[in-house]
Amino acid sequence: VGGSGSVITVDVPGTVASNASTTSSLYDLTGLSTSNPYYYQIEVTNSSGTAYGDVVSFSVSDPYAVTGANELITSTSARVNGTGYKNGASSPTAELCVSTSSTLDANGGLGGCTSSTPVTLSNTSDALVLNLTGLEPGTTYYYQASATTAAGDATNYGSVSSFTTLYVVTFDGNGSTDTMTAMSRSTTTALTSNTMARSGYNFTGWNTVADGSGTAYSNGANYPFTNNATLYAQWTSSTITVTYDPNGGSVSPTSENYTSTALTLPTPT
């Protein structure tokens, strides 16, 4: 870049794949002065020659933000964190935004995101916290911290991080009127032991399809929790048929089904 300042050329290793339309290059600069503006430009060279990108400027007196960790993840809620740095700017603001898409807009910010209430940075650094509720189970969310000057003429974006809400497995009695609490997990875990009962039937396990034609899981088996699912209880009849032999006489009825209620024996004649 022309002018009276010094020029630093930085070689960033890497090549653009033959089937790629774009690629990104990153380089961390340190030891910059807060009293000077800086300019940078991308240069790309191949066998046909060299091409130059637009010249872009920045000042290290602009505020910036660092995207932090995520925590307290459930199937429908989470907390994301970040830090806003004032960096000598007057009354800048910082915020966190969350999106189900990782696509960045032309300025490097997450597109279509839900943002937190901007925090005015009054200290050298200020914590950013966004508590999220109403999330969808088993869904990946992307989040990013950003800081903006008071005039709104410059915004610096932090890196993009992500988390996935827990997958939910619900239990269907499939003929039983009892219920069981759903499980929320993100890794392979043993299923809660069955507590449901059905009169006249014995519990034999779980299945991903009510009629038993899907994937079967035994009671307390490990489940991968790689998707949201409903597991259906599987039952076999525990009915015992009792047949009456009048031994030369007659009896009515000649047989009855026994489950758990005591039978009243008929009187033969």
Side-chain angles (χ1 to χ4, degrees), residues 4 17 63 75 78 90 94 115 119 146 163 175 183 200 241 261 267:
S4 59
S75 59
S90 176
S115 298
V119 174
S146 64
F163 65 89
M183 294 181 67
T241 299
T261 303
T267 301

Side-chain angles (χ1 to χ4, degrees), residues 110-166:
L110 279 175
C113 66
T114 300
S115 298
S116 62
T117 301
V119 174
T120 299
L121 303 178
S122 56
N123 302 300
T124 302
S125 64
D126 287 280
L128 307 174
V129 179
L130 178 57
N131 291 304
L132 302 165
T133 58
L135 304 179
E136 290 296 322
T139 301
T140 298
Y141 290 87
Y142 302 88
Y143 65 100
Q144 181 184 46
S146 64
T148 304
T149 58
D153 57 354
T155 298
N156 288 321
Y157 296 94
S159 59
V160 176
S161 294
S162 66
F163 65 89
T164 301
T165 49
L166 303 184

Side-chain angles (χ1 to χ4, degrees), residues 82-95:
T83 306
Y85 293 88
K86 190 175 182 181
N87 200 30
S90 176
S91 301
T93 59
E95 61 186 75

Side-chain angles (χ1 to χ4, degrees), residues 85-253:
Y85 293 88
K86 190 175 182 181
N87 200 30
S90 176
S91 301
T93 59
E95 61 186 75
L96 288 158
C97 75
V98 179
S99 175
T100 54
S101 171
S102 61
T103 302
L104 301 179
D105 61 26
N107 297 315
L110 279 175
C113 66
T114 300
S115 298
S116 62
T117 301
V119 174
T120 299
L121 303 178
S122 56
N123 302 300
T124 302
S125 64
D126 287 280
L128 307 174
V129 179
L130 178 57
N131 291 304
L132 302 165
T133 58
L135 304 179
E136 290 296 322
T139 301
T140 298
Y141 290 87
Y142 302 88
Y143 65 100
Q144 181 184 46
S146 64
T148 304
T149 58
D153 57 354
T155 298
N156 288 321
Y157 296 94
S159 59
V160 176
S161 294
S162 66
F163 65 89
T164 301
T165 49
L166 303 184
Y167 294 101
V168 176
V169 169
T170 57
F171 300 98
D172 188 304
N174 198 20
S176 171
T177 58
D178 297 335
T179 60
M180 285 177 58
T181 302
M183 294 181 67
S184 299
R185 300 288 190 277
S186 60
T187 58
T188 299
T189 306
L191 294 170
T192 303
S193 295
N194 175 54
T195 59
M196 294 187 284
R198 183 181 177 187
S199 180
Y201 291 84
N202 294 319
F203 175 78
T204 59
W206 303 100
N207 200 284
T208 55
V209 180
D211 65 6
S213 61
T215 302
Y217 294 92
S218 60
N219 194 22
N222 286 334
Y223 187 82
F225 286 91
T226 55
N227 60 289
N228 298 315
T230 297
L231 295 181
Y232 298 88
Q234 301 297 295
W235 309 95
T236 57
S237 175
S238 60
T239 300
I240 298 174
T241 299
V242 177
T243 300
Y244 303 116
D245 184 345
N247 196 22
S250 62
V251 66
S252 180

